[in-house]
Amino acid sequence: TQAHEAGLTSFLMSIIPKTYLSAFTEGHVLPVLLVSLLFAFALQRAGETGHYVLDLIEVLNGVFFRVVGYIMWAAPAGAFGAIAFT
């Protein structure tokens, strides 16, 4: 099979993204996990500066979840419109 022919080395090299942003734009899960773990380790070692970044992430997390809540609130109307169109 194709996975067996690829080998361990090529699999491990595919986990490492070309850039930080390419990990999120290529659509593969393992590079995103690697970059996320590296960011978390670096944030932990940043000390007091890391706390400011963590506070910013917590605020942004609340905003994003509120946006998702609005989308979920409007989702039944969108589904009804899609069903009515068909």
Side-chain angles (χ1 to χ4, degrees):
T1 63
Q2 185 180 9
H4 180 61
E5 295 170 3
L8 181 63
T9 305
S10 63
F11 170 72
L12 292 175
M13 292 303 290
S14 70
I15 293 174
I16 301 171
K18 293 175 184 58
T19 65
Y20 288 123
L21 291 179
S22 70
F24 298 103
T25 59
E26 291 179 356
H28 302 289
V29 175
L30 290 177
V32 172
L33 288 175
L34 178 68
V35 169
S36 299
L37 284 173
L38 291 175
F39 182 78
F41 292 145
L43 190 61
Q44 181 182 11
R45 301 275 300 170
E48 187 62 33
T49 307
H51 290 290
Y52 295 125
V53 176
L54 187 60
D55 291 339
L56 174 67
I57 290 172
E58 288 181 10
V59 169
L60 290 175
N61 187 27
V63 171
F64 288 136
F65 273 110
R66 186 167 301 256
V67 169
V68 170
Y70 292 151
I71 292 171
M72 294 301 293
W73 181 79
F80 174 75
I83 292 171
F85 178 76
T86 58

